[in-house]
Amino acid sequence: MCGIVGYTGSKQAAPILLDGLEKLEYRGYDSAGIAIFDGKNINIKKATGKLKVLHELTHGGAVMPGKSGIGHTRWATHGVPSENNAHPHYNADKTIAVVHNGIIENYIKLKKRLEDRGYVFTSDTDTEVIAHLLDYYYKGDPIDAAIKVMHRVEGSYALGIIYADIPGKVFAVRKDSPLIVGKGADENFIASDVPALLKYTRDVCYINNEEIVELSEDDIIFYNTDGEKIEKEFSYIDWDADAAEKGGYEHFMLKEMNEEPKTVHDTLMPRIKGDSIVIDELTLSAEEINKIRQIHIVACGSAYHTGMTAKYIFEEMARIPVTVDVASEFRYRDPILYPEDLVIIISQSGETADSLEALRSVKKQGILTLAIVNVVGSSIAREADQVMYTNAGPEIAVATTKAYSAQLIALYLLSIHFSKARGLVSDEEVKLFIRDLKKLPDQIELLLHNEENIQRFANRYIAAKDVFFMGRGIDYAISLEGSLKLKEISYIHSEAYAAGELKHGTISLIEEGTLVAAVLTQEKLFKKTISNMVEVKTRGAFVLAVTNEGNTEIEKAADYVIYIPETNHYFTNSLAIIPLQLFSYYVAVGRGCDVDKPRNLAKSVTVE
């Protein structure tokens, strides 16, 4: 949610800030603004709506000269989307400008105290409190002022700050909301996420909680909350810069779907050594794996659905009990955890607020944690005991596709690794698993080549009001993700059900022509699910089926069938999800929806 970019250096700041904000559009926003120091004054331009409005207002930044500044894309929380509520925010005499991601939980109390001291508020935001607090505490030392503000403010925040009387410097503060520093040649940056900086630098440092950063053209200084200078290490980001561009595709989502074969290959192959699976980054011994009493998988959205798939695999293959929780529920239900348990946190960004807080609550209890994340050096990656990276590269579209596929691969590998350590799979079985895993990239490519047929089918359901997905076991987990993809980008009401649950109420919603998508990839469950398909079809449903090659019996119960190539039954999600992603994409395109930036959604959800 929201995006921050800051720049100081030898070049004009405004065009760089606008470019960086454009790379962060996937985070979701409803207004945008930039603040530039021109050598004498801090000038601010803000606009509601898409970033192109601000771009046109500033003529691409040309009308705002200056070599240092901060920019922001805002997703409204406190106060409606408006130019007045957009960031950056000034203090009263316009000598301090602030951008803020996060939520200030005690802003009402702080606002009242400031008003009692004569401060006048001009917006409805919690962020304006920060600008006035900085004004109140600033006596010439920006680090001291930042520390005092941090001691008064409760909640989450990433701040970018500039002062009119400190030319050429940008300050940043972070607590529970992601913020990184980029180091360039005669220029330095802050940003909410890596894509904003890829064009300018690959050397980045992740700001830890309650740290302060001072940037100038040729220096970066980090401080703790005692005002002491601290040393930090920079990481090199080896993502291909072109991966953050559309590359000729109409949408990032379509591009990223077509990158799934490479993503699967890149996540898979570094962990396959001959006939063995070797996960070098994990330090768990076979003895420690055998002591695991239960696995708790904690995630949000699509990552939660990969966890649902993993539950079936871990329990059947590794014989370890597994619970899967939505992170926001896990945090507050006071789960029963034992010292021998393992908690797996799954997050594409590694900054998902609820998942991060769940991780922290578990670590306080001394429970072993393992993170599956895409972003190197992200908060969840740094704070977990063990980390396994998915090599998906930057994913820009809000609706995840390739990151979802990469998470599945990581979980497959982890399941096999644990099963082998527990003596439950033989060397020969591991060879067969590896054989089928290696086939997945080419099989996904084959399914992507069927996009024209899926597009023609999708065009029939552009005006659909309700769509239902169903499956059993792993097929239920696939259905959950298929349903989520459709609803989040096309705005069609869609639900997924364990197939046996349809008759417990939901079947009453089936009308003539209602689309029901049935997923059947688990051979032992074919007959049961086919009977559910017949139930809905006799009530007027049009049945779309996704199933394995050779399961021709299904054609008697389905109106339209999509076949997936043969693979091990544990790995079918990686194939069955592809036509469902394509279907959702083409329905959304046909409805004229903004596929990459669906309304009200954000790529990285960093507030509760």
Side-chain angles (χ1 to χ4, degrees), residues 375-425:
V375 180
V376 176
S378 56
S379 296
I380 291 174
R382 293 197 312 272
E383 296 186 29
D385 300 306
Q386 305 274 324
V387 61
M388 186 175 179
Y389 286 110
T390 55
N391 300 323
E395 186 179 62
I396 306 302
V398 168
T400 182
T401 51
K402 66 174 182 173
Y404 173 87
S405 289
Q407 289 167 359
L408 286 174
I409 295 299
L411 289 163
Y412 298 158
L413 292 169
L414 203 60
S415 301
I416 299 167
H417 179 64
F418 278 26
S419 301
K420 185 70 170 64
R422 292 166 69 88
L424 296 175
V425 296

Side-chain angles (χ1 to χ4, degrees), residues 39-56:
K40 293 183 179 179
N41 302 304
I42 297 174
N43 301 303
I44 290 179
K45 293 288 185 183
K46 303 191 283 190
T48 57
K50 296 299 182 184
L51 192 61
K52 66 180 181 181
V53 179
L54 181 65
H55 199 280
E56 292 169 359

Side-chain angles (χ1 to χ4, degrees), residues 123-140:
S123 76
D124 302 316
T125 68
D126 56 337
T127 302
E128 195 178 357
V129 165
I130 302 292
H132 293 313
L133 272 178
L134 285 168
D135 178 270
Y136 180 74
Y137 288 118
Y138 179 59
K139 310 298 180 187

